[in-house]
Amino acid sequence: MEAGVEREGAKRAKAELKISGMTCATCATTIEESLSAVQGVRGATVNLGTETAQVEFDPTWVKLAELEKAVKEAGYGVIDQRLTIKVGGMVCATCVETVEKALLGVEGVVEAKVNLASERAYVLYNPKLAGVAEMRRAIEDAGYLFLGIEGEESDAVEQEARERDLVEKKRRILVGFSVSALLMILMYLPLPLPVPMHYLMLVISAPPFLNVSQPIFLAAFRALKNGVLNMDVMYSMGIGVAYISSIAGTFHFILTHEFMFYETALMLAAFLSLGRYLEARAKGRTSDAIRALMRLAPGTAHVVREDHEQEVPVEELQVGDRVIVKPGERIPVDGVVLEGESHVDESMITGESMPVSRSKAEGVIGGTLNGNGVLVIEASRVGKDTVLAQIVRLVEEAQSSRPPVQMIADVVVSYFIPVVIAIAILSFALWYFVLGGTLLFALTTLISVLVVACPCALGLATPTAVTVGLGRGAELGILVRRGEALEAMERLTMVAFDKTGTLTKGRPEVTEIIAKKTSRETLLAIAAGVERNSSHPIAEAVADKAQKEGLKPLESQGFESISGKGVVAKILGEEVLIGNRLLLRDRNVPFGDDIEGEMAALEEQGKTVMMIAVAGEVAGLIAVADTPKETSREAVAALKSMKLRVAMVTGDNDRTARAIAGAIGIEEVRSEVLPAEKSEVVRQFQEKGEAVAFVGDGINDAPALAQADTGIAIGSGTDVAIESGDIVLMRSDPIDAAAAIQLGRKVMSRIKQNIFWAFAYNIVLIPIAAGLLYPFLGITFRPEFAGLAMALSSVTVVTLSLLLRNYIPPVKRREYGKEV
């Protein structure tokens, strides 16, 4: 949105909205009425010429997002700007809530979504009302680190900030454990001391305790200032109670010497720091895949300008530039090869494991690796418009989305900390006032409960798995556009495929050559000699077949195309007919029942059959068909092994459709369906209770992709329609559709494992820390061990998610040289 707000008092503001989609004065009136109907709006004026709306409103009653909603509900758009901010210092779901709340508190911010795993804030904002400076101030005031804007040259700054943070955490950990070990030695070894033990422990422990616990207390203070109960508040209570009790015991203020927890308090703070350190290191690796993609783009390029080769920064490249790519260099732009031939490694973009040949007039993708040839390329897309840039943007946006399962976890976390604090206080009261336990034991249960509880594990369970899983998908050439698609894939019961170009190659190929009066090679050379004069796809298939077999087409003269029947020409003075039955009958060329039978048999298989007659006699038959892709049958078998029904939906005639379906193992066929009607077929499947994935062309099959529970758009490198489906396949390979479903199910399985362990950890250890087993088994949970368990819980969840980095869907393991 492009807007400006002018304050006229505490309860009066003016906003200017940039509107899209207006075509006439009626549009302006409609928007004015829609805005005026919002409670709190004092007046609205729309200027059709400048496409802006001036709105006067009461900010205590209505927010900017509600004004936008009113415009959109009227059927128009509001032009917004997006920004991705790198945020440091977040450790749990309540941190996410705090940062989102802080950003939404900036006037002009319409939407803010924060991803804990990738440590990014995705902001939709009004650039005339709010700027980066205001957002930075909001983040830092909330107690977190502003590490720069995505897309700016801030990666080095971000990395340096992370390294400094890790070094600082490591130093605190070493100090904490070293001094706590010294305190334990003083406690348990009878050493001659110059001063009483309790005073010496206070003096030794105070400086390192303040140093190690300072980030925890500071974060807790900021959280409380922002009205949020987070884990730092809970941990501050735990280690604070331990240390204050120790001081009280030292000076015999209410408590005695037996309440000295100096080494425990310090060790707890060190364990908390260790957990944060390990978690930060592991979490930093969750976005490795997307960072690797971003590094694919080279910094400079060799470009021809004014007949001279120059090396320029890629930012200076323009559409139409002639770019030279030398052996071993990365291709800097999307483009078309003008000169040269080479093998290009596209695995990092499409997931294609083998290098592919690229020559004149063929497309190449920016970020891919040139092999042993020199290529001269004409740039067709540069900068943020390249496929690589779109992939990075798409994956980052998908990582910011929250699947429904994460929303459930977030709700649990919002209640978690108050409940844990209540349990800690209740356990203390129960043991001390009701069950007659000692004050020391009751205090120990209070501290243990506060430090063993870990909302981090719950908060990290989903975003880390989603971030790693979507990054891995991008490496495999599988782009998941929304996190919700992961859950949808888990519920699928049926996969419906388009036929042409999805399951088949999308172009006719010669499948049979049956020679009667001459050799097979001569028959093909004659047919190619005639058909090379035609641009019909079947004619091109015949010419291509001759070229592949190294046959030189015979010279032909007098070429004539007869609509709906075939073609006629002369070779070596003899008339050659190539066409269907009607053409031969018109020219009085006889053909017997044997030829009719062979033609009928081939046609039953869905093939188009041409008769070739030379000098009034049938010389042979050539059959042509759109053949299945090599992996179609394997893909269908893989889907069936996942207990999914498989169907084909196509516009082809029923005989051809069933012939192709039978060849690749599909029983359910819907044929003669127009592109616009495919969505209706999908809806019919859904009405029967099926959860449907539709796999098809991202352009022609858009309605069916939108209707399906999961739309899977199959593409081909530079031709892929990035915005077309819930999932976009970079290769035109049906095996990747099965791989996408396997990946989605694997990510969801890992999310469920993470959530299970996070819940199990808290459900089991919190009661033990509260002393539940003490009356029966005499088992207690020392606070320092509780701190260690807490530190390991979130690290375990992140580590489980990181295992997805090397995941290969079973259907692709043969391709990657792995055992199935």
Side-chain angles (χ1 to χ4, degrees), residues 679-710:
S679 60
E680 177 62 22
V681 173
V682 171
R683 190 182 62 77
Q684 289 170 7
F685 287 141
Q686 291 169 328
E687 286 176 349
K688 293 178 181 177
E690 303 286 357
V692 183
F694 187 86
V695 187
D697 184 293
I699 300 168
N700 298 326
D701 296 321
L705 291 168
Q707 176 66 40
D709 297 274
T710 303

Side-chain angles (χ1 to χ4, degrees), residues 1-5 16 52 125-131:
M1 177 181 65
E2 294 181 1
V5 168
E16 179 186 294
T52 57
Y125 76 107
N126 173 337
K128 290 186 180 178
L129 184 61

Side-chain angles (χ1 to χ4, degrees), residues 8 232 283 293 364 416 442 445 494 554-555 666 683 772:
E8 295 186 354
D232 290 297
K283 200 166 60 178
L293 280 172
V364 290
F416 183 88
T445 61
M494 183 179 203
L554 297 179
E555 290 294 329
I666 295 178
R683 190 182 62 77
L772 182 66

Side-chain angles (χ1 to χ4, degrees), residues 452-532:
V452 79
C454 188
C456 282
L458 275 171
L460 289 166
T462 301
T464 53
V466 168
T467 299
V468 178
L470 297 189
R472 181 55 179 156
E475 291 177 330
L476 296 169
I478 300 166
L479 306 182
V480 182
R481 293 187 59 228
R482 284 180 285 274
E484 296 91 329
L486 296 171
E487 286 197 54
M489 281 191 280
E490 190 182 39
R491 297 191 299 269
L492 292 178
T493 60
M494 183 179 203
V495 179
F497 284 92
D498 172 47
K499 180 184 79 70
T500 306
T502 302
L503 291 171
T504 65
K505 295 176 181 177
R507 62 183 185 277
E509 290 186 350
V510 173
T511 58
E512 278 89 13
I513 301 172
I514 303 171
K516 296 294 183 182
K517 298 290 185 179
T518 184
S519 68
R520 178 183 179 280
E521 290 74 18
T522 302
L523 182 67
L524 182 55
I526 290 170
V530 175
E531 295 286 21
R532 68 177 179 176

